[in-house]
Amino acid sequence: MFLEMSAFSAKNLKNEFYRKAVHLSSLWMPLLIYAAPRNFSLTVFCTLFLGNLVVEYACYRRVSLARRLFEGVFLKTLRCREIRKNRFCPSGSLYLLGAAVITTLLFPKELAVIGMTIVLISDTCAAIFGKMFGTRRLYASKSLEGTVMFFLSALYVMVAFDGMYPLGASGVASCTFAALCELYEKAIRVDDNFSVPLVVCLTLFCF
């Protein structure tokens, strides 16, 4: 029984590493926001969002080509709620692309870059650290260790971008609110790939 549980945990951890490796590969998004003109970035993000939406909905409607394409590439990265067949549930990538569109459209370039970088890096750190070392449950499946790692890694991103936006009370507040969005994702019923970048940008912008 213990060996079966260990094998299950190892498989879960391996899948989480795979999911977050794909997540980190999206760091091209903040890089594009920073380096390219706003209209070009918006065109890229909107095109990918619409294309992804069409493929995911076609997959939900059991269009065989779409299912083979989508599940063949992304099946290991999908969460349980994203592969249910009884109702359409967008994947995390759709929420991430949606956040990229909105942050690029509504906020200064510097804030959009910071918000998108935090969700990609801090969500990855929280998930991996929480899976490996999380023992104290805070809410649902979220652990104290994972939440603390999210906050610390978000602060690290803020420090890394100090030349773009000085770390101060607003930076600490944005990291705190972002960590809470990630922790209470199920309670607020908003995917953290969407809520975290928007909360970070909005907090920095308001301050």
Side-chain angles (χ1 to χ4, degrees), residues 81-132:
R81 68 172 184 266
E82 295 166 351
I83 56 178
R84 292 173 182 165
K85 299 297 188 295
N86 59 331
R87 64 185 178 87
F88 178 63
C89 184
S91 71
S93 62
L94 265 179
Y95 287 107
L96 191 64
L97 286 165
V101 171
I102 294 176
T103 54
T104 303
L105 181 64
L106 299 182
F107 298 101
K109 175 188 294 187
E110 295 79 9
L111 302 191
V113 169
I114 292 172
M116 293 303 296
T117 303
I118 284 178
V119 72
L120 293 169
I121 290 181
S122 298
D123 185 60
T124 298
C125 291
I128 298 300
F129 197 83
K131 284 282 187 182
M132 295 181 67

Side-chain angles (χ1 to χ4, degrees), residues 14-82:
K14 183 179 179 181
N15 287 341
E16 194 65 33
F17 271 112
Y18 181 84
R19 286 183 65 245
K20 295 310 175 183
V22 174
H23 199 58
L24 280 179
S25 70
S26 296
L27 281 169
W28 65 267
M29 291 182 179
L31 181 61
L32 181 68
I33 295 171
Y34 179 78
R38 174 175 292 186
N39 287 342
F40 179 79
S41 299
L42 281 172
T43 300
V44 171
F45 294 144
C46 288
T47 301
L48 290 174
F49 178 86
L50 292 174
N52 202 344
L53 178 62
V54 169
V55 171
E56 287 192 27
Y57 189 74
C59 181
Y60 163 71
R61 299 296 297 179
R62 301 178 184 274
V63 177
S64 59
L65 179 61
R67 291 184 67 179
R68 288 198 298 271
L69 174 64
F70 184 69
E71 294 183 358
V73 176
F74 295 111
L75 184 60
K76 289 185 179 180
T77 71
L78 299 178
R79 291 167 287 191
C80 292
R81 68 172 184 266
E82 295 166 351

Side-chain angles (χ1 to χ4, degrees), residues 157-168:
V157 172
M158 289 297 307
V159 171
F161 285 109
D162 185 67
M164 186 180 293
Y165 188 97
L167 175 64

